[in-house]
Amino acid sequence: MTRVAAIDCGTNSIRLLVADVDRTAGTLVDLDRRMEVVRLGQGVDRTGRIAPEAMARTLDAAQRYGRICDDLGVEAVRFVATSASRDAENRDEFVAGVRDALGVEPEVVEGTEEAALSFRGATGVLAARHPGPYLVVDLGGGSTELVLGASAPEAAFSMDVGCVRITERHLLGDPPTPDEIAAARSDVRAALDEAAAVVPLGKAVTLVGLAGSVTTVTAHALGLRTYQPARIDGAVLPVETVLAACDDLLGRSHERRAELEFMHPGRVDVIGAGALVWHEVVSRVVDDVAAAGGRLTEVITSEHDILDGIAWSAAER
């Protein structure tokens, strides 16, 4: 048994998982799982740099996570930084700040590594209940990873579209205007064309969505009053229900989104873009599966994601 800490630092949030991993038994038991919205990627798409205030917010959170790791007697820590850190000219400053805050070397991983970690985290739980091949989609703030495989990743692609990036590029109205929505959809569809040249989307038998935008859409589709991870994790929803929930969130004003009690305050301003991206991904996969002679009627949501994959990898080092 190894007590590990996994830290996933994305464009919108930083998350911590402390878990006991038994590699012999193949079990991972959560001790502490938490998330803070720090918006590290604030303005990175426009400026190419992490803003000082965004870096300060994130490093403060990293210090808090470090204290939790100390209190819980963690033996191994892996800190993974993704899209915003990959894109930023001043990422070395951020890496040094994390090193000082935590005493560990953060890893700025490429999109393919991010996709592989997400695939492992999600399919390790779902594989016993749903057939492969799986298309795992990790919809983040700055990028969206698509990875296809049965027992291991066979093809992966990281798209430079995410809820923060698409919001900052296009969805500036409250609610977004038809022209803004059309421009955003065009961006996402172009990215999906690139992805489909690498990942054969039509081979998917089970479509699995991960991360905050997807789980928030799922909470809305389920009609939840408050955020309930146990209801969301493993939820199986008809494609039409998912698409309708995406459209409703996209069309709402900031005020009407904020009224939804399951909505984390840090997602209110970007969930419209997240819903738009998820709508486009689900629609494209359904169409490609149909073109390949199959039929995809349901979408799976998983609360187990890259964080779980990082934890497994930390235990194996």
Side-chain angles (χ1 to χ4, degrees):
M1 187 83 72
T2 307
R3 182 159 293 182
V4 302
I7 300 174
D8 166 35
C9 185
T11 300
N12 196 46
S13 64
I14 183 169
R15 301 184 302 145
L16 169 70
L17 169 62
V18 178
D20 284 335
V21 176
D22 187 332
R23 293 175 59 197
T24 303
T27 59
L28 184 154
V29 179
D30 289 16
L31 297 176
D32 195 312
R33 190 185 288 255
R34 62 181 65 200
M35 181 269 288
E36 293 186 39
V37 173
V38 290
R39 196 65 57 84
L40 180 65
Q42 171 192 329
V44 169
D45 187 61
R46 177 176 54 82
T47 67
R49 296 182 62 82
I50 298 171
E53 61 272 25
M55 190 175 300
R57 289 193 299 266
T58 308
L59 294 179
D60 283 348
Q63 287 181 329
R64 287 192 290 276
Y65 286 178
R67 290 193 289 271
I68 293 167
C69 292
D70 290 342
D71 290 344
L72 292 177
V74 165
E75 301 166 60
V77 180
R78 188 178 184 193
F79 186 112
V80 169
T82 55
S83 177
S85 304
R86 284 196 296 266
D87 295 347
E89 296 171 0
N90 58 338
R91 60 180 166 271
D92 289 347
E93 181 185 348
F94 175 65
V95 166
V98 172
R99 190 187 303 121
D100 290 343
L102 280 175
V104 299
E105 189 70 23
E107 301 171 55
V108 181
V109 299
E110 295 300 319
T112 51
E113 170 72 0
E114 183 178 357
L117 289 168
S118 296
F119 184 89
R120 183 172 189 183
T123 59
V125 175
L126 292 172
R129 290 178 278 162
H130 301 283
Y134 308 97
L135 180 65
V136 175
V137 181
D138 185 350
L139 201 172
S143 66
T144 297
E145 282 64 48
L146 299 96
V147 54
L148 180 77
S151 58
E154 297 166 14
F157 189 83
S158 180
M159 305 189 297
D160 280 336
V161 296
C163 62
V164 174
R165 195 186 297 268
I166 292 298
T167 299
E168 292 184 349
R169 279 186 186 176
H170 299 296
L171 303 185
L172 306 178
D174 184 24
T177 68
D179 286 348
E180 290 171 347
I181 291 171
R185 290 197 193 282
S186 179
D187 257 17
V188 178
R189 289 172 184 176
L192 281 166
D193 286 342
E194 289 186 61
V198 177
V199 180
L201 305 178
K203 290 185 177 181
V205 171
T206 298
L207 174 60
V208 186
L210 317 178
S213 288
V214 174
T215 58
T216 301
V217 168
T218 302
H220 194 43
L222 289 169
L224 300 183
R225 185 169 177 273
T226 59
Y227 193 88
Q228 300 175 45
R231 292 278 308 277
I232 293 166
D233 186 38
V236 180
L237 292 170
V239 165
E240 295 79 7
T241 302
V242 173
L243 298 182
C246 288
D247 287 341
D248 184 71
L249 287 170
L250 175 60
R252 286 175 177 248
S253 66
H254 186 281
E255 182 180 4
R256 289 189 61 226
R257 290 187 210 127
E259 292 170 352
L260 299 168
E261 294 184 48
F262 59 77
M263 181 85 64
H264 190 287
R267 296 202 189 281
V268 173
D269 61 333
V270 296
I271 190 57
L276 181 148
V277 174
W278 190 220
H279 185 290
E280 292 301 318
V281 171
V282 172
S283 298
R284 176 61 182 263
V285 175
V286 168
D287 289 347
D288 282 18
V289 169
R295 188 163 178 257
L296 186 71
T297 61
E298 297 174 332
V299 180
I300 316 297
T301 300
S302 177
E303 288 272 357
H304 297 276
D305 51 27
I306 187 173
L307 206 53
D308 300 71
I310 296 168
W312 280 111
S313 69
E316 293 166 354
R317 294 188 162 195

